[in-house]
């Protein structure tokens, strides 16, 4: 399984348009991108691939990174930064199955799958398929499971991807606070590679109107407001899940410039191979394997 991080930023991305903060300036100077969230997963045995979330930056992501267009897509939730790239499918795909959860969201009165069907009913080449959360389905020869996470007020899902041939396992937290239900944590457990929402460092919680939540024993907030994990929360979750390699994603330009590009914060274009025995980083000369969650 080859995993490419196409989009590692939050909803405005880094650099953010019109922003001259030190972090955005540094990203521009160094040519670093954190575009809106998307992950490309390739089954190298079958030459098929799955796209997790349809970023508004879809076009630029596929121009910038040498990965094939996907054979299928999965949508975690209906926020702009995860869904609204689906319009890019127009005249690009002959056929694109999109998989999403089937449970009705009390907030919208429809499921994630139904919202996608309604918003994109003009795309004849896109078919939307209902998925039951916590039940695994096979897509492109890989086993996928959507796991409910906590991203109020909308329903949102993390994702577990297992290669049934090798046992390689990728877990994504999805957009979520630290308050992930136990059943979901059990499914996410022991991944070779864990991609965790870490929108800002815990120290920035005092800038959120609701402050932080889900404090640890030392009083450090593991959630920023109610919708996302702090860096500290994401790392605590990675630790609890026993992740082998962790990359922090969905990060905002609010990280101070001296922390924004430190490990283990991901940037666009990172690529990993999961072969069931470990994780190899493919986009840099230095291969890494083993416990590198620091
Ligand atoms: Zn900025
Ligand atoms: Zn979201
Ligand atoms: Zn998001």
């Amino acid at each position: 399984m080859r995993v490419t991080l196409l989009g590692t930023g939050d909803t405005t991305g880094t650099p953010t348009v019109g922003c001259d903060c030190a972090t955005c300036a540094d990203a521009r100077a160094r040519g670093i991108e954190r575009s809106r969230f998307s992950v490309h997963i390739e089954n190298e045995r079958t030459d098929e691939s799955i796209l997790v979330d349809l970023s508004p930056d879809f076009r630029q992501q596929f121009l910038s990174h040498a990965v094939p267009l996907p054979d299928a897509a999965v949508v975690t939730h209906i926020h702009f930064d995860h869904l609204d790239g689906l319009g890019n499918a127009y005249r690009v795909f002959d056929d694109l199955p999109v998989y999403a959860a089937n449970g009705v969201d009390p907030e919208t009165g429809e499921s994630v799958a139904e919202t996608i069907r309604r918003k994109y009913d003009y795309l004849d080449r896109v078919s939307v398929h209902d998925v039951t959360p916590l039940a695994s389905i096979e897509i492109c020869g890989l086993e996928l499971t959507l796991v409910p996470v906590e991203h109020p007020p909308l329903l949102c899902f993390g994702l577990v991807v297992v290669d049934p041939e090798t046992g390689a396992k990728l877990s994504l937290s999805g957009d979520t606070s630290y308050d992930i239900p136990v059943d979901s944590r059990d499914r996410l457990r022991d991944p070779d590679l864990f991609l965790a929402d870490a929108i800002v460092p815990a120290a920035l919680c005092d800038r959120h109107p609701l402050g932080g939540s889900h404090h640890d024993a030392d009083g450090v907030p593991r959630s920023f407001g109610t919708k996302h994990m702090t860096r500290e929360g994401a790392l605590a979750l990675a630790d609890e899940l026993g992740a082998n390699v962790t990359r922090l994603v969905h990060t905002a330009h609010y990280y101070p410039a001296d922390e924004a590009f430190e490990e283990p914060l991901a940037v666009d274009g990172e690529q990993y191979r999961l072969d069931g025995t470990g994780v190899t980083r493919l986009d840099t000369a230095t291969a890494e394997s083993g416990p590198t969650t620091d």
Side-chain angles (χ1 to χ4, degrees):
M1 183 184 337
R2 190 170 75 142
V3 179
T4 308
L5 311 190
L6 295 179
T8 57
D10 72 335
T11 196
T12 68
T14 301
T16 290
V17 291
C19 182
D20 60 1
C21 78
T23 299
C24 287
D26 199 14
R28 279 188 199 96
R30 296 165 62 182
I32 293 172
E33 278 282 350
R34 286 190 176 129
S35 61
R36 275 66 70 85
F37 187 80
S38 189
V39 177
H40 186 273
I41 303 165
E42 225 175 320
N43 182 343
E44 294 176 288
R45 279 181 290 103
T46 66
D47 260 342
E48 295 172 299
S49 59
I50 302 165
L51 192 64
V52 181
D53 285 339
L54 292 139
S55 170
D57 298 308
F58 176 100
R59 178 175 175 278
Q60 197 55 51
Q61 290 172 346
F62 280 88
L63 289 174
S64 302
H65 306 291
V67 292
L69 285 170
D71 298 281
V74 180
V75 174
T76 59
H77 67 303
I78 61 167
H79 274 154
F80 160 78
D81 49 327
H82 300 258
L83 172 60
D84 285 11
L86 183 52
N88 287 284
Y90 186 62
R91 287 202 275 132
V92 169
F93 291 92
D94 293 332
D95 170 45
L96 182 68
V98 176
Y99 295 84
N102 61 6
V104 174
D105 189 333
E107 183 68 20
T108 63
E110 54 189 14
S111 68
V112 175
E114 285 166 340
T115 300
I116 302 169
R117 248 179 235 121
R118 178 175 55 73
K119 282 184 76 172
Y120 294 95
D121 66 336
Y122 64 92
L123 293 176
D124 327 334
R125 307 298 176 91
V126 167
S127 55
V128 184
H129 301 267
D130 286 290
V131 175
T132 302
L134 296 174
S136 74
I137 51 163
E138 189 178 312
I139 305 173
C140 300
L142 300 172
E143 284 173 4
L144 276 71
T145 311
L146 286 172
V147 300
V149 293
E150 193 65 22
H151 191 51
L154 290 179
L155 286 188
C156 183
F157 299 85
L159 183 68
V160 178
V161 183
V162 174
D163 183 335
E165 299 275 318
T166 65
K169 179 171 180 175
L170 164 70
S171 292
L172 292 87
S173 74
D175 282 16
T176 185
S177 79
Y178 183 75
D179 192 22
I180 298 176
V182 172
D183 281 358
S184 297
R185 283 175 188 248
D186 287 344
R187 304 304 174 97
L188 293 165
R189 207 170 294 286
D190 294 325
D192 296 301
L193 176 62
F194 182 44
L195 305 179
D197 170 6
I199 195 159
V200 294
L204 294 193
C205 285
D206 56 8
R207 295 215 213 151
H208 193 290
L210 299 175
S213 53
H214 308 122
H215 295 79
D216 67 15
D218 298 323
V220 177
R222 289 174 289 195
S223 298
F224 178 66
T226 60
K227 284 189 168 87
H228 295 278
M229 287 187 283
T230 59
R231 174 183 57 197
E232 289 76 358
L235 292 174
L237 180 62
D239 198 39
E240 187 202 313
L241 296 178
N244 180 357
V245 174
T246 298
R247 304 305 291 165
L248 302 184
V249 296
H250 209 279
T251 49
H253 65 129
Y254 302 122
Y255 271 88
D258 62 346
E259 297 175 43
F261 308 106
E262 294 292 301
E263 294 295 320
L265 273 68
V267 297
D268 290 7
E270 292 183 15
Q271 191 173 64
Y272 298 89
R273 177 169 290 128
L274 284 59
D275 63 6
T277 64
V279 179
T280 309
R281 186 159 174 177
L282 302 176
D283 61 297
T284 57
T286 48
E288 65 179 78
S289 194
T292 49
T293 49
D294 54 331

